[in-house]
Amino acid sequence: MTKTDLSLDHFKLEDTRVTRRYFGKFEKITNHLTKVAATMEAEGRLSRVDIEALTGYLAGLNYTFRALAHKYHFSGRWDHAGQLTFDRLDSGFPVYQELLEMANDALQAERHLRTMPAVDDLKDQMVRVIVGEQAIPTKLQYALSQRLYYEELMKGALFWARNDPQSVWLGNEGDRREFQVHWAVYDSQVNLPTVYIMNVEDTGRTGLPKDERRWPEVQAHLMAQSVAHLKLLTIAKGFDEDFDDLHPTRLRRFHIGPMYSHAFTRQSGPLREVLEQAKSPVGEDWALVWTEEELVSERVEHVKSGWFGSVERQIFALDPFAGQGAETGATRMERSLIMPERPYQSLAEKNPPGFRDVRKFVVSEQGRVLSYR
């Protein structure tokens, strides 16, 4: 791994073996995430409708890594294969630019596939080169990897740099409709996938997703506010003030990452020491941070609007402990660690300060998930 010219914390994977290990690690991580989400549902921390929204994005993240793995399968073995750039200081994930390039490739995937040989044809040509010429068909192998890359893009349902808002009807109470609105971004500031889930009460004449005026405005508004440095309180209040007949009663944000790995990342702090001491086998040398922020409305106030009217405004509950609510802009924030058994054993032995109250989800190759405090 060598540094790029872009910044000190962005690195390119230039070796085939290392690149495949990186994607192999993330394939395991993304597969574990859906099981962890199911455990959170069993514990009552997430509802069924929450899980459906979250697992859709987690599955999309898995497809994104699968596509990128095809794209860079021959990094280091073929001059034109390119190299993955990832953020090994702050996130452990690919840099934002990788997802932008992938989205651009997706727009042209159909055209590329029309001009490329089919998978079976490429495999037949490989056999002829191996048997007839007794040579390694590197060019054909690379062509096959690109064919599989574009096929993966054509399937869709990936996690993109922007995943526009979707709405789910939850029910009616009197003249109010309740919707869950969820969306996700690959945050360009921190190079991490971030998922938002908001509960909204709708007092408009037409249901939100069918409203040809409000729904596009809501989508544009939410995507513009989806940046890591904005507090949930800022996002929710801005939405509440911009849409008089939409009332955000609950807003959550899930940060997936950073990913720590002794072999790949250069983050500092106790987790790095824990992973170094664990000496885990290939594929189990990692720990992933999962952070959930939540903001809930505690009451409603009516404020004057125009000469004779009034509108509802939400008053949000902030964390009362040590002033953290005002600082974080949330009702609560909880961090969890997801890690294999060997790193967890190392963490339990070292027991560093600051990790005792962090929820730990310990995952195994057999699909088992254990939860510890």
Side-chain angles (χ1 to χ4, degrees):
M1 291 181 284
T2 59
K3 284 189 287 189
T4 71
D5 296 327
L6 297 175
S7 67
L8 293 175
D9 55 351
H10 293 178
F11 283 73
K12 285 189 176 182
L13 294 173
E14 298 180 342
D15 180 87
T16 305
R17 180 181 56 85
V18 175
T19 301
R20 294 179 185 178
R21 278 187 58 189
Y22 178 85
F23 283 115
K25 185 186 302 292
F26 265 103
E27 180 182 12
K28 291 185 177 182
I29 291 173
T30 53
N31 285 331
H32 286 309
L33 287 179
T34 54
K35 297 181 178 66
V36 171
T39 302
M40 291 180 178
E41 180 191 10
E43 294 177 347
R45 297 171 61 191
L46 296 172
S47 68
R48 168 50 50 180
V49 70
D50 294 334
I51 287 293
E52 290 174 356
L54 272 173
T55 53
Y57 294 117
L58 296 176
L61 196 60
N62 188 20
Y63 301 147
T64 290
F65 274 100
R66 185 185 301 172
L68 289 173
H70 286 310
K71 180 180 181 179
Y72 293 113
H73 193 69
F74 281 87
S75 295
R77 286 188 57 190
W78 179 243
D79 291 342
H80 305 292
Q83 294 112 19
L84 176 83
T85 302
F86 79 105
D87 181 349
R88 74 170 185 177
L89 183 63
D90 293 322
S91 80
F93 280 70
V95 299
Y96 179 71
Q97 184 64 28
E98 293 285 356
L99 272 78
L100 291 184
E101 291 180 8
M102 187 181 71
N104 184 64
D105 290 341
L107 294 175
Q108 305 177 71
E110 185 177 2
R111 177 171 60 83
H112 282 290
L113 289 171
R114 283 201 306 266
T115 61
M116 301 175 79
V119 171
D120 288 342
D121 291 340
L122 287 167
K123 290 180 178 179
D124 288 342
Q125 292 179 49
M126 286 184 210
V127 172
R128 287 198 292 270
V129 170
I130 294 170
V131 175
E133 302 177 19
Q134 295 186 345
I136 299 174
T138 304
K139 292 183 180 180
L140 291 169
Q141 289 174 324
Y142 172 68
L144 177 59
S145 72
Q146 299 310 291
R147 171 89 201 187
L148 295 174
Y149 169 59
Y150 287 116
E151 286 185 355
E152 199 68 41
L153 295 183
M154 284 293 293
K155 292 176 185 176
L158 286 78
F159 192 104
W160 305 104
R162 289 168 49 101
N163 304 271
D164 289 346
Q166 302 176 55
S167 65
V168 178
W169 176 68
L170 300 179
N172 289 3
E173 186 172 341
D175 62 346
R176 291 174 180 259
R177 308 173 189 88
E178 186 176 3
F179 294 96
Q180 179 203 74
V181 179
H182 59 81
W183 67 101
V185 297
Y186 199 87
D187 199 290
S188 61
Q189 296 181 345
V190 292
N191 295 311
L192 288 178
T194 308
V195 178
Y196 295 80
I197 298 178
M198 182 168 66
N199 287 52
V200 178
E201 292 182 357
D202 179 11
T203 53
R205 297 182 65 179
T206 303
L208 178 60
K210 297 180 180 179
D211 193 314
E212 297 177 355
R213 178 186 61 83
R214 290 185 305 159
W215 183 229
E217 292 178 4
V218 164
Q219 291 179 304
H221 177 100
L222 293 175
M223 294 309 298
Q225 299 296 304
S226 302
V227 289
H229 73 269
L230 282 182
K231 298 176 180 179
L232 292 189
L233 182 62
T234 302
I235 298 172
K237 287 185 69 174
F239 185 89
D240 193 31
E241 292 168 1
D242 281 3
F243 300 96
D244 289 345
D245 48 15
L246 293 172
H247 316 290
T249 58
R250 187 185 188 195
L251 175 61
R252 283 168 291 168
R253 177 164 56 189
F254 299 85
H255 303 272
I256 304 169
M259 188 276 291
Y260 291 77
S261 168
H262 182 61
F264 286 95
T265 64
R266 292 294 178 267
Q267 298 108 324
S268 58
L271 266 184
R272 176 168 173 76
E273 298 173 11
V274 165
L275 292 171
E276 182 179 11
Q277 178 179 298
K279 294 181 170 53
S280 302
V282 172
E284 297 184 25
D285 167 43
W286 59 271
L288 184 87
V289 180
W290 171 294
T291 304
E292 177 186 355
E293 300 172 85
E294 180 182 32
L295 180 72
V296 297
S297 173
E298 64 177 354
R299 68 181 192 278
V300 173
E301 286 188 353
H302 288 83
V303 300
K304 189 174 180 181
S305 176
W307 288 101
F308 304 107
S310 66
V311 294
E312 291 183 16
R313 289 289 180 254
Q314 305 295 317
I315 305 300
F316 296 97
L318 296 178
D319 188 345
F321 297 105
Q324 289 181 358
E327 186 177 320
T328 64
T331 306
R332 70 177 185 90
M333 182 172 70
E334 183 174 37
R335 286 190 175 90
S336 303
L337 270 178
I338 304 168
M339 56 177 61
E341 295 173 6
R342 185 78 69 85
Y344 173 72
Q345 291 170 357
S346 176
L347 179 67
E349 290 172 6
K350 291 184 70 68
N351 196 22
F355 285 83
R356 290 163 194 163
D357 295 328
V358 174
R359 175 68 61 87
K360 292 94 174 173
F361 292 97
V362 182
V363 297
S364 70
E365 292 294 313
Q366 294 75 35
R368 186 176 66 251
V369 178
L370 301 176
S371 177
Y372 299 98
R373 270 290 185 185

